[in-house]
Amino acid sequence: AYPTRSVSITDLGLSLKRTLGGIANFSWASFPVSVQRGSSFPLSGFVIENAGTATASPAVTWYLSNRNNTWSGATYYALQTTSYGSLPRFYYYPNLTMSIQVPASVRAGEYYIVGELQSDGYDGNRYAWSNERITVTNPPATLVGLSPANGQTGQTLDVDISGSGFVNDTHVYF
C-alpha cells in the first residue's frame, strides 16, 4: 500500500520440525538412528521458509555436531551445502527430503544434525538443530590376508585387516 516505504529484506527460516495442523501439533524431521562413515542417509520433514519481502535462493550447509543448540566447545563436521532454488517472498517449502553424505573422515560417535542457512539477513532463525542424535559407525573390518597361511600352535601369525581403527600387520599369538 505504501510502495515508497517498502524495503527489500531477506529473512529466511530453517526448521527441523514442521507443523501438522495447529500450533502444538508438530513433527520433528526424521532420519535413521545410525549411518556408516563414507555413506549417506535420508533427512526428511524439514522446512525452509521465506518471511522476507524479496524472492530468495536459500542454501543450507549441513553439519554433524556433538553439542546441541550451541557451537561453544563443539566438535563438528561440515558435510555439504545444498541449494534449494528460488523461493518467493512469504512462501515456504513445507516438507523437504534430501540425502546427506557423511565423509569417511568423520569420526565414529553420536552427533546432532545441524543446518545453517547461508546469506540470511537475521541470525535468530538461521540455524536448526535436530532433537535426537544420529550415531556414525565405522564400516566393518575386512580381513585382507594371513601370513603364513598354514600357521601352527606357538607360531606368530601376521593378520592384515582393513578398516577403521586397525593397524596393518597386527600380530596375533595363538
Side-chain angles (χ1 to χ4, degrees), residues 10-117:
T10 300
D11 183 14
L12 297 170
L14 174 65
S15 178
L16 291 182
K17 61 183 175 183
R18 61 190 170 91
T19 61
L20 300 174
I23 295 173
N25 190 9
F26 65 90
S27 173
W28 283 95
S30 62
F31 50 89
V33 296
S34 67
V35 61
Q36 282 186 8
R37 297 177 329 136
S39 60
S40 61
F41 67 92
L43 174 66
S44 61
F46 64 98
V47 176
I48 297 176
E49 64 180 324
N50 183 0
T53 59
T55 297
S57 297
V60 177
T61 300
W62 295 98
Y63 300 88
L64 291 178
S65 173
N66 67 334
R67 304 279 312 267
N68 196 6
N69 295 318
T70 183
W71 294 114
S72 178
T75 299
Y76 59 90
Y77 299 92
L79 304 178
Q80 67 192 50
T81 299
T82 306
S83 297
Y84 293 92
S86 181
L87 186 58
R89 65 188 184 128
F90 310 125
Y91 191 78
Y92 72 105
Y93 297 136
N95 190 13
L96 293 167
T97 297
M98 65 169 298
S99 180
I100 296 179
Q101 181 70 32
V102 178
S105 60
V106 173
R107 291 185 57 151
E110 292 186 335
Y111 298 96
Y112 293 95
I113 299 167
V114 185
E116 176 190 13
L117 278 165

Side-chain angles (χ1 to χ4, degrees), residues 131-149:
N131 66 324
E132 299 286 337
R133 291 180 287 199
I134 187 169
T135 301
V136 175
T137 61
N138 291 318
T142 304
L143 180 62
V144 176
L146 296 173
S147 176

Side-chain angles (χ1 to χ4, degrees), residues 140-164:
T142 304
L143 180 62
V144 176
L146 296 173
S147 176
N150 59 349
Q152 298 175 6
T153 302
Q155 184 179 23
T156 298
L157 181 64
D158 288 328
V159 180
D160 289 334
I161 301 174
S162 173
S164 178

